[in-house]
Amino acid sequence: MFGFQMSDPCESGQQLCDVVEDWTGNQTLANISDVVIGKPLALLWLLILFVAVRWVLHRVVDRLVARAEDGMLPDKMSRFGLRGKAARNAEARDLATQTRRVQRAKTMGDLLKSVITGLLIAIFGTMALSELGVNIAPIIASAGIIGLALGFGAQSLVKDFLSGIFMIFEDQYGVGDVVDVGEASGTVEAVSLRVTRLRDLNGTVWYVPNGEILRVGNMSQNWSRAVVDVNVGYHEDIPRVEGVLRELAHDLWEDEDFRGLVIEEPEVTGVEMFTPDGITLRVLLKTAPMEQWGVARTLRQRIKARFDHEGIEIALPQRVIWHREQPTPDAPPKTTAGPSPEGKEPAAGG
């Protein structure tokens, strides 16, 4: 009536029915025993197997979640030398980052567990229908056709979801990080399985599908680095300029206002390149996450004031312009005056 084809009792493979028929020689009793005892036992075995497989897979997901909560990168920056407000700020940043990672990992774990449970219910439900004598061939064929259609129609969606899962588990970035994902860069405002939302410096919001992100540059994870390039003229004394830069960087390192923002002794690498306008020297400062821009701005301001005081010239673009005039027929000849030998009058020339 419903299109289901029930199998006949004591068919091939129904051991209980065959055993009861051999013992009693009664076909009706054998059929009843198979329906009353055999099928419930088979369904009970499928239920036990379903629970066991589900438990094992959920344990695997729990291990992955625990690993994601710890993060894929080493511990945060060392707090050696931090004290007071800077130490409290660093601890607050670490706590917020850890809390965000734990929440994201648990969300992913719950989602994976739901997907696993749904797939297992579909598989073992089909097996249970088979045990009850339902012809499952049409069901399997229909599921295959539907899966094939979804696979062709939602390839980009599946790609986005898989990429989002790996991004979240590997902790590549999170809300509040400053990242560069290729076509767009800015502060991460939201991360989902399908799309990442960024806001750039101009305030433009970018929605980037996770499957389209081929590489990620995170500028605010664990620690950052401020790179300050200074151009000076070719006539300047380079060792003297390096000494001034080293002194300024060290003063910034010792400044109480920047204690905890600059987390290592700054380094003056020396001459980086020669340009048509001057000589470029570089200063490197290791900073707390997302503090590199403010530290670099402060150091540039101090460099400008100190160079003005020391009389060190900051190189500027220089250009040589040749101005050439074409002589006209009615123009008088040009004369050059200058001292002439033996006190004679200056000679005229053109």
Side-chain angles (χ1 to χ4, degrees), residues 177-189 196-208 213 215-219 293:
D177 288 343
V178 179
V179 299
D180 182 353
V181 294
E183 294 295 331
S185 62
T187 304
V188 179
E189 290 191 340
T196 296
R197 191 177 75 208
L198 305 175
R199 186 179 296 273
D200 65 13
L201 188 62
N202 298 322
T204 304
V205 178
W206 297 85
Y207 294 88
V208 185
I213 300 177
R215 51 96 174 143
V216 177
N218 195 325
M219 293 174 276
W293 301 290

Side-chain angles (χ1 to χ4, degrees), residues 3 18 23 66 70 85 88 103 110 129 162 192 208 314 331 342:
D18 294 335
W23 285 356
D70 294 335
K85 184 178 179 180
R88 291 193 297 271
Q103 292 176 346
D110 294 339
L129 291 177
L162 292 178
S192 64
V208 185
I314 297 177
E342 300 179 359

Side-chain angles (χ1 to χ4, degrees), residues 106-116 161 165 193:
K106 288 184 176 179
T107 301
M108 285 302 308
D110 294 339
L111 176 63
L112 287 179
K113 287 181 179 179
S114 299
V115 172
I116 289 173
F161 270 76
I165 289 173
L193 285 180

Side-chain angles (χ1 to χ4, degrees), residues 240-316:
R240 174 170 171 260
V241 175
E242 287 184 352
V244 172
L245 292 177
R246 193 171 289 109
E247 182 180 349
L248 287 171
H250 182 76
D251 291 343
L252 191 66
W253 158 252
E254 294 291 340
D255 195 332
E256 287 295 330
D257 293 336
F258 290 88
R259 179 78 66 176
L261 302 183
V262 181
I263 59 179
E264 282 188 5
E265 179 75 28
E267 177 186 1
V268 179
T269 59
V271 177
E272 285 295 320
M273 67 180 70
F274 297 103
T275 66
D277 303 320
I279 300 174
T280 301
L281 295 92
R282 176 166 293 176
V283 184
L284 301 178
L285 303 96
K286 190 174 182 179
T287 70
M290 300 180 65
E291 300 292 342
Q292 65 269 33
W293 301 290
V295 171
R297 284 191 291 267
T298 301
L299 182 59
R300 292 191 187 99
Q301 182 179 359
R302 295 188 180 189
I303 289 174
K304 174 63 170 61
R306 183 65 178 274
F307 277 16
D308 290 345
H309 178 74
E310 297 288 341
I312 299 175
E313 179 185 353
I314 297 177
L316 298 174

Side-chain angles (χ1 to χ4, degrees), residues 6-133:
M6 304 296 294
S7 58
D8 297 332
C10 285
E11 291 182 349
S12 176
Q14 296 179 347
Q15 290 85 358
L16 181 62
C17 182
D18 294 335
V19 170
V20 173
E21 185 178 3
D22 292 340
W23 285 356
T24 62
N26 191 329
Q27 179 66 43
T28 302
L29 184 61
N31 295 337
I32 294 174
S33 64
D34 182 71
V35 173
V36 175
I37 301 176
K39 292 187 182 300
L41 284 179
L43 295 177
L44 180 61
W45 164 247
L46 287 177
L47 179 62
I48 294 174
L49 185 60
F50 165 78
V51 173
V53 173
R54 180 177 178 273
W55 181 83
V56 171
L57 293 179
H58 280 201
R59 290 284 294 176
V60 173
V61 171
D62 290 337
R63 288 181 177 272
L64 293 176
V65 169
R67 184 179 178 183
E69 290 176 358
D70 294 335
M72 301 292 289
L73 294 177
D75 293 337
K76 296 292 182 185
M77 62 180 184
S78 173
R79 296 195 184 91
F80 177 75
L82 303 186
R83 57 179 180 269
K85 184 178 179 180
R88 291 193 297 271
N89 291 340
E91 291 178 358
R93 284 194 299 267
D94 290 351
L95 180 60
T97 302
Q98 178 67 18
T99 302
R100 182 192 68 203
R101 184 189 299 123
V102 169
Q103 292 176 346
R104 189 168 60 243
K106 288 184 176 179
T107 301
M108 285 302 308
D110 294 339
L111 176 63
L112 287 179
K113 287 181 179 179
S114 299
V115 172
I116 289 173
T117 301
L119 290 176
L120 291 179
I121 289 176
I123 294 173
F124 283 93
T126 304
M127 296 173 66
L129 291 177
S130 177
E131 287 294 332
L132 292 175

